[in-house]
Structure formats: structure tokens, C-alpha cells
Amino acid sequence: MSSRNALFILILSFLISSTAISETIAQKTPPKAVANVCAACHGIDGNSAISANPKLSGQHPEYLYKQLANFKSGARANAVMSGMAGMLSDADMHSVAEYFSNQTLSLGQAKTNGSGSLGEKIYRAGIQANAVPACASCHGPSGDGLPIKYPRLSGQHSEYVLNQLRQFRLGARANDEAKMMRTIAAKLTDQEMEAVADYIQGLR
């Protein structure tokens, strides 16, 4: 190998390494919007310690961006989040979404709905008698969701999941595509919602 080729390979390797290091640092360094706006309620790494507030870490960036945009436009109603999102530019929202998507999710534990429970049955098989589809059919068997279309659910706080199901049932949350979640939630009882929310908290 000529000295010129060796030098070219060395420079190329350095550039690739530098790019990888820069990307890693960017993923670990929170944008100003996260530190100034999001961290107080959701945690600096997106693992909210407050069960009423969702964990954002590991969530699909497309989903996070859509929710912020919906809060800002009013398509998703929430007085607190509408005010917070209203302070963010489009670039801020993309930056926040990308940052949280690259954080490591802290998984949880179900309180009572483990293997063989009502919560597991609803999540994996739905409720055929009431035409309730399995949650897993859209959100995946491990709750990983589907980028762009369906959010990741695994490890999410049960209190937050339960509240969102209730909001969908009431129609207070109405930013779901084709009224899918509103239609499903309308068919669930409080007991069924509590069970599946608890199961999702321990899902991994």
C-alpha cells in the first residue's frame, strides 16, 4: 500500500470516528428546550418520575414531534402542554423529539397484571365479544410500537396510560387517526382499562 493511500485511509477513519463521537455527544447533551422546558415534568432523560406525566425516552421521534405539533395547534387539548409547546419553534420540536428518542427507557413493573392476567389477555388478544382488537396488533407484542404510526407503550406509567384511555373514551383527546383509539376506548370498562394500563407498565 502506498503512503498516499495509507494517509487517505487514516484521514477517512479519523473523520468517521469524529462524526460518530459528535453524534454520541449530541444524543447525550440535551437541547436548551429540554433543559428549560421539558425536564421539570419529564426528567432530563425523559424518564419521568411523576406517574401522571409520560416517559418520553425511547419514544419514536415522529410520534413525539406530532404530539408537540398537535399541542401547539390545539389538535390535542392540554392547557399545560399547549403553553409549553407554544414556546417551541418547529426546529425546537424536532430537536426535542430526536433527543428523547435516543434516551434509554427505564422499564417498570406491573402491580398485579402479569402473565395470565386480564391485562395481558386484553393486550395480546383483545376482547372478541366487544370487538376490541388486541393492543399488540398495532403496538407490537413487546410494546415497541411502529414508527410514524403507533407509539411505543412498553414501560409507560400505568397512571398516564389509564388517563389517556379515559380521555379517548370521553373524546377529550381527539388526535388519533380515524378515531381509532376513541372507538376502542369507548368499548372498555374502567376495570379493563386499569388492567391493561397496569400490564403495559410492566411490558418489555
Side-chain angles (χ1 to χ4, degrees):
M1 180 184 296
S2 68
S3 59
R4 180 177 293 180
N5 288 339
L7 179 60
F8 173 77
I9 292 173
L10 180 63
I11 292 172
L12 183 61
S13 299
F14 173 77
L15 290 174
I16 292 172
S17 298
S18 297
T19 301
I21 291 170
S22 296
E23 289 177 350
T24 300
I25 292 173
Q27 290 171 5
K28 292 184 178 180
T29 304
K32 288 184 179 179
V34 170
N36 297 338
V37 180
C38 313
C41 295
H42 297 284
I44 195 69
D45 65 348
N47 284 298
S48 170
I50 305 169
S51 59
N53 298 332
K55 295 178 182 179
L56 305 180
S57 53
Q59 187 58 267
H60 304 303
E62 299 90 350
Y63 177 78
L64 291 175
Y65 173 80
K66 178 181 184 295
Q67 299 313 304
L68 286 170
N70 285 175
F71 281 130
K72 187 171 184 175
S73 70
R76 181 174 175 182
N78 182 288
V80 173
M81 281 304 304
S82 292
M84 296 297 180
M87 296 187 287
L88 303 177
S89 67
D90 192 67
D92 287 334
M93 291 191 287
H94 277 293
S95 179
V96 166
E98 192 64 32
Y99 168 76
F100 280 127
S101 72
N102 284 302
Q103 304 311 301
T104 301
L105 174 66
S106 175
L107 296 173
Q109 295 286 339
K111 294 177 181 177
T112 58
N113 282 268
S115 180
S117 65
L118 173 62
E120 182 186 43
K121 291 175 182 176
I122 295 172
Y123 188 87
R124 301 199 175 282
I127 307 172
Q128 293 186 4
N130 294 335
V132 173
C135 308
S137 63
C138 290
H139 297 282
S142 299
D144 293 330
L146 183 65
I148 301 178
K149 289 187 70 75
Y150 306 117
R152 178 176 184 167
L153 296 182
S154 59
Q156 189 58 267
H157 293 304
S158 60
E159 181 180 348
Y160 174 75
V161 174
L162 177 59
N163 181 55
Q164 294 310 297
L165 287 171
R166 287 172 172 167
Q167 292 295 306
F168 278 126
R169 183 170 65 185
L170 292 170
R173 179 173 176 181
N175 70 329
D176 51 325
E177 185 178 349
K179 297 184 178 181
M180 183 181 297
M181 283 305 305
R182 280 173 283 176
T183 301
I184 293 170
K187 300 175 182 179
L188 295 173
T189 66
D190 286 338
Q191 180 186 12
E192 290 163 347
M193 286 184 178
E194 290 168 4
V196 76
D198 184 34
Y199 180 74
I200 285 170
Q201 180 170 272
L203 188 61
R204 59 192 66 202

